[in-house]
Amino acid sequence: MLILQIVIKQWDKSQRTEAHEKLRANIPDNYALTFPPAVYVFNQQCVIDQHGDDIQGTRVKYAMDANGAILFDRFHVNLADNVLAYRGAKADKPPQTIGSLHNQWIQYRYNCRYSIFESDRYYWLYEAVTLNAIYLDQFNKNVFLNTEPAIVYKDFNALDTLKQP
């Protein structure tokens, strides 16, 4: 079973003070898996557990392609070999293999920003996103709490100027 846990921290320009940064820093980047908020999807082949902010609703979209790979946000997981790949925010680059999810978890952190049009105004919405992903033969609700990730990848330097659909 593939388990995807996504933690999203969102803020706008007015929330860039040291006090706001401390508040965001105190938000965990991994949780126990509980239903809800976790849900089974794709004929119960996958658990999705999303936490944190989602100012606009439905922030992360999930789909399964014709080859059986699960696509979400900037990633895809091939269910045949349980390998996580980073597609990036721009479609002009080939996916970058991050690693195997079989009985080990990977944590991927990244920042992005994009413009939002609301109430006749545009503003920047900033995000810090953490993905925790693993493929387990047997479900374990505490997998992200009781073990350390095999791989931690941080991509905090590249801010995207456009949100991808």
Side-chain angles (χ1 to χ4, degrees):
M1 164 182 316
L2 177 64
I3 301 172
L4 304 172
Q5 183 176 78
I6 297 174
V7 181
I8 303 171
K9 302 173 189 178
Q10 295 179 327
W11 65 96
D12 63 31
K13 191 173 181 178
S14 70
Q15 298 165 319
R16 295 187 308 170
T17 68
E18 186 176 331
H20 287 103
E21 287 178 14
K22 285 180 181 177
L23 286 173
R24 285 191 297 275
N26 287 328
I27 297 171
D29 60 3
N30 55 340
Y31 294 85
L33 299 165
T34 58
F35 295 87
V39 295
Y40 286 100
V41 295
F42 307 120
N43 294 324
Q44 297 198 356
Q45 295 180 71
C46 180
V47 172
I48 296 175
D49 185 33
Q50 185 174 326
H51 297 268
D53 302 318
D54 192 356
I55 291 170
Q56 296 182 293
T58 64
R59 162 57 183 87
V60 180
K61 294 173 179 61
Y62 304 88
M64 183 178 282
D65 71 9
N67 298 322
I70 294 177
L71 310 170
F72 59 100
D73 206 23
R74 300 174 182 197
F75 303 92
H76 79 263
V77 177
N78 183 336
L79 290 179
D81 59 11
N82 302 310
V83 171
L84 177 67
Y86 180 70
R87 296 183 306 163
K90 300 189 177 16
D92 60 343
K93 295 182 180 180
Q96 175 185 357
T97 298
I98 299 169
S100 172
L101 297 173
H102 193 73
N103 290 321
Q104 65 178 7
W105 66 284
I106 294 174
Q107 184 175 76
Y108 196 102
R109 300 176 189 189
Y110 58 96
N111 279 357
C112 62
R113 69 176 180 179
Y114 45 92
S115 63
I116 301 293
F117 183 73
E118 188 177 86
S119 302
D120 296 328
R121 301 181 128 193
Y122 282 98
Y123 68 94
W124 283 113
L125 183 63
Y126 299 89
E127 289 185 333
V129 181
T130 302
L131 166 68
N132 301 316
I134 191 169
Y135 184 89
L136 293 174
D137 295 325
Q138 184 175 343
F139 181 79
N140 176 352
K141 72 177 186 172
N142 293 315
V143 67
F144 298 126
L145 299 178
N146 293 340
T147 60
E148 294 296 319
I151 299 170
V152 176
Y153 190 87
K154 297 177 185 176
D155 184 16
F156 284 114
N157 296 322
L159 287 175
D160 296 316
T161 56
L162 295 174
K163 179 182 179 217
Q164 296 298 306

